[in-house]
Amino acid sequence: QVQLEESGGGSVQAGGSLRLSCAASRWSVRSSYMAWFRQPPGKQREEVATLGNDGRTRYADSVKGRFTIIKANAESTLDLQMESLIPEDTAMYYCAADSFPWWSFGREPQYWGQGTQVTVSS
């Protein structure tokens, strides 16, 4: 059974940085499609950053230039480096994975973690 476990969330002041990690069990980060999503309080979940199995990345406009999605050296770890955090980045952050580019099929990723909370204060 595939498991994704996020860590690294916490509380930080605006302008600060955090690095989230997603540890995948029974899953190869390197050869799959991975992403970070987030859900702010009272809002819908949104895609933050995506990494394809060919290394291509894409980012939400709201985080471009501030967030970086990274395949860590370990085969089963995906990170999200977040810089210059702003209060609007406050959300539950989720790691997601799929064997295929889910966006091409009009669906969501197949596997999800439980999430890690990020709170940015002004």
Side-chain angles (χ1 to χ4, degrees):
Q1 183 177 357
V2 176
Q3 290 186 323
L4 304 175
E5 184 173 0
E6 303 93 339
S7 62
S11 297
V12 64
Q13 288 193 327
S17 303
L18 279 175
R19 188 176 180 108
L20 306 183
S21 288
C22 173
S25 300
R26 301 181 181 84
W27 188 262
S28 173
V29 169
R30 291 185 176 276
S31 59
S32 62
Y33 296 84
M34 304 290 299
W36 286 95
F37 286 73
R38 68 184 181 187
Q39 186 166 18
K43 296 184 179 181
Q44 289 188 332
R45 188 166 57 194
E46 61 180 354
E47 187 175 294
V48 174
T50 301
L51 181 60
N53 64 355
D54 58 358
R56 291 185 180 181
T57 59
R58 67 181 189 193
Y59 297 91
D61 288 342
S62 59
V63 306
K64 280 181 182 176
R66 300 189 299 120
F67 289 14
T68 305
I69 189 169
I70 304 163
K71 280 179 182 174
N73 289 333
E75 175 71 16
S76 59
T77 303
L78 179 77
D79 290 352
L80 183 68
Q81 179 66 42
M82 305 187 294
E83 306 283 351
S84 303
L85 286 162
I86 59 178
E88 290 74 17
D89 294 322
T90 295
M92 184 70 78
Y93 283 73
Y94 299 91
C95 175
D98 202 310
S99 299
F100 302 99
W102 58 85
W103 54 90
S104 299
F105 300 93
R107 60 173 177 79
E108 291 194 326
Q110 184 175 8
Y111 301 105
W112 294 84
Q114 294 298 308
T116 185
Q117 178 68 37
V118 172
T119 302
V120 183
S121 58
S122 57

